[in-house]
Amino acid sequence: MSIWNEIVRLLQRILRSPEVRRAARRMAREALGDKSPQRSGPRGRPAADRPAGKPLRISYSPVDDDKADPGEVVWAWVPFEEDASKGKDRPVLVLAREAGDLVCLMLTSRDRGRGVHTDRHGNTWVDIGTGPWDKQGRPSEVRINRLLRIDPDDVRREGARLDRRRFDLVADETRRLHRW
């Protein structure tokens, strides 16, 4: 195979990347002068915590496309609770879509306990094991007491689809904790 064929194949693979497609859409909006408010993440106001009182319609509906769907682990900027102007890019599990936003739960690879557990700060975690969202193959935990609203345009990249059994465990524990 010639070097040119290899270059063409590489460019085609790059252009199919969800991350590249999102960046292209963002650049096009900026070039066309889109003045719509930027709602979350580093582009505008920080991703907001969703009030837990109102019941959330949680659904498992991952689709193989370049959009974040309930049941998928994606990467997004998550603000720190102590200072919402600061945060970090981290994996989040999409639980639902609500009013145009994604409702997500943050993941960590830092072990805080086993099964469903509450840490010394009062945060509740559910073990979900390993998955392709962590390149080092570390076991992950999902924090279920903090619901995040994230603009779909602020998703950096898709990490993986969580299998139905583990998603249902997280969804059931989230409903139980929030009394929905």
Side-chain angles (χ1 to χ4, degrees), residues 55-76:
L56 179 65
R57 290 185 48 197
I58 299 173
S59 65
Y60 183 77
S61 50
V63 177
D64 285 331
D65 59 12
D66 65 342
K67 298 176 187 158
D69 301 303
E72 294 177 349
V73 175
V74 299
W75 286 74

Side-chain angles (χ1 to χ4, degrees), residues 113-153:
R114 292 184 176 267
V116 179
H117 50 279
T118 302
D119 66 17
R120 62 188 176 99
H121 302 290
N123 300 317
T124 305
W125 301 87
V126 176
D127 285 324
I128 60 168
T130 61
W133 56 84
D134 187 289
K135 291 184 192 236
Q136 297 175 357
R138 297 172 294 188
S140 296
E141 298 180 356
V142 180
R143 181 175 168 192
I144 62 172
N145 65 303
R146 183 181 183 201
L147 300 164
L148 299 164
R149 294 182 70 93
I150 297 175
D151 185 324
D153 287 337

Side-chain angles (χ1 to χ4, degrees), residues 98-113:
E98 184 178 68
D101 286 331
L102 302 172
V103 179
C104 305
L105 300 169
M106 64 184 239
L107 274 70
T108 186
S109 58
R110 189 169 150 214
D111 188 24
R112 290 174 161 72

Side-chain angles (χ1 to χ4, degrees), residues 156-168:
R156 306 278 189 278
R157 62 185 164 97
E158 293 183 53
R161 178 183 295 189
L162 192 65
D163 64 74
R164 182 67 187 248
R165 182 189 60 78
R166 292 188 286 176
F167 180 85
D168 286 345

